[in-house]
């Protein structure tokens, strides 16, 4: 499968890219910083320099053309202000959605817990959650085979390969290793279409937990 990952140099995205490459996928990595290109190439990823905040839809479409699946794992980052939460976390996701509509049927959105009920307020985190909520809403309103994954707190602990997946929010944490493993499974499973999956560390192997979640009635 040809898979495009936005924010490909991020901590979750780099892990995801390695997993997809290892299983034989062709991975396109969207980055805005040219200094990240060689890192992607070393990991077997085909790099594409594309700044989602400023690129046109045609630019984005050309960068990921022919992709069968797209993963939005980009973000403005923890040090950014409220304005960039809107231009990147919301608008960047929507631009990628629109730009890839003609090619990629699968659209996997890395979101987060709290997005289902974002707070009011002008603080950066509240704006971030509302921005993600608006992006998620646009994805859900599209005619794509979308999946939204909403993890709890992310950690750099070594992955255990075990998670808990629910269709309703629950608190917890998950290593980035395990979140990447879950995303890799979601990308390839057509049963994940039009699903919102909440995920944290848990007792079940990723494959088994995903199987159980996707065989439940919507």
């Amino acid at each position: 499968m040809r898979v495009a990952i936005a924010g490909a140099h991020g901590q979750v995205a780099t892990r995801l890219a390695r997993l997809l490459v290892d299983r034989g996928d062709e991975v396109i990595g969207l980055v805005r910083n040219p200094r990240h290109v060689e890192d992607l190439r070393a990991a077997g990823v085909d790099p594409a320099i594309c700044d989602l905040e400023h690129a046109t839809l045609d630019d984005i479409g050309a960068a990921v053309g022919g992709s069968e699946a797209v993963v939005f794992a980009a973000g403005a980052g923890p040090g950014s202000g409220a304005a960039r939460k809107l231009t990147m976390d919301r608008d960047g996701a929507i631009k990628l959605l629109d730009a890839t509509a003609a090619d990629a049927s699968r659209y996997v959105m890395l979101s987060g817990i709290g997005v289902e009920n974002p707070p009011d307020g002008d603080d950066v985190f509240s704006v971030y959650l509302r921005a993600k909520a608006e992006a998620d809403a646009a994805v859900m309103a599209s005619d794509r085979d979308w999946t939204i994954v909403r993890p709890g707190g992310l950690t750099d602990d070594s992955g255990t390969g075990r998670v808990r997946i629910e269709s309703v929010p629950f608190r917890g944490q998950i290593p980035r290793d395990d979140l990447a493993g879950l995303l890799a499974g979601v990308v390839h499973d057509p049963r994940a279409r039009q699903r919102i999956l909440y995920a944290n560390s848990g007792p079940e192997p990723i494959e088994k937990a995903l199987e159980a979640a996707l065989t439940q009635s919507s």
Side-chain angles (χ1 to χ4, degrees):
M1 179 183 285
R2 183 174 169 89
V3 184
I5 303 175
H9 201 260
Q11 295 188 69
V12 174
T14 54
R15 291 167 166 86
L16 172 61
R18 284 195 297 268
L19 292 173
L20 295 176
V21 168
D22 287 347
R23 69 187 296 170
D25 291 323
E26 179 185 357
V27 179
I28 304 168
L30 272 65
V31 291
R32 66 180 182 186
N33 190 338
R35 290 178 294 178
H36 295 156
V37 164
E38 289 307 316
D39 290 342
L40 296 184
R41 286 194 178 126
V45 176
D46 183 13
I49 299 175
C50 184
D51 184 345
L52 291 178
E53 288 182 277
H54 301 104
T56 66
L57 295 184
D58 287 342
D59 292 337
I60 299 168
V64 301
S67 298
E68 300 162 79
V70 178
V71 180
F72 185 83
S80 60
R84 290 203 63 225
K85 305 305 182 187
L86 300 176
T87 58
M88 184 68 240
D89 295 276
R90 182 191 65 189
D91 298 345
I94 295 172
K95 285 172 73 174
L96 183 67
L97 179 73
D98 293 340
T100 58
D103 291 323
S105 60
R106 294 286 289 122
Y107 192 100
V108 178
M109 180 73 155
L110 178 54
S111 186
I113 193 168
V115 172
E116 68 282 348
N117 187 26
D120 296 327
D122 296 328
D123 62 285
V124 173
F125 190 63
S126 294
V127 174
Y128 165 75
L129 288 177
R130 290 200 302 276
K132 294 294 285 186
E134 291 174 24
D136 285 5
V139 171
M140 289 186 283
S142 73
D143 60 359
R144 305 285 285 279
D145 290 342
W146 56 264
T147 307
I148 295 171
V149 178
R150 292 177 176 169
L154 305 184
T155 75
D156 289 324
D157 297 338
S158 296
T160 65
R162 294 178 177 272
V163 297
R164 174 185 168 193
I165 303 172
E166 302 287 351
S167 59
V168 294
F170 69 102
R171 295 289 174 180
Q173 294 183 319
I174 184 171
R176 289 177 172 86
D177 289 343
D178 292 336
L179 177 56
L182 172 58
L183 290 170
V186 165
V187 166
H188 278 272
D189 199 320
R191 298 172 301 172
R193 65 183 300 274
Q194 298 184 349
R195 297 279 191 137
I196 300 175
L197 303 175
Y198 292 88
N200 283 304
S201 292
E204 299 289 347
I206 293 171
E207 185 176 347
K208 186 175 180 180
L210 186 58
E211 174 74 20
L214 297 182
T215 53
Q216 294 174 357
S217 59
S218 301

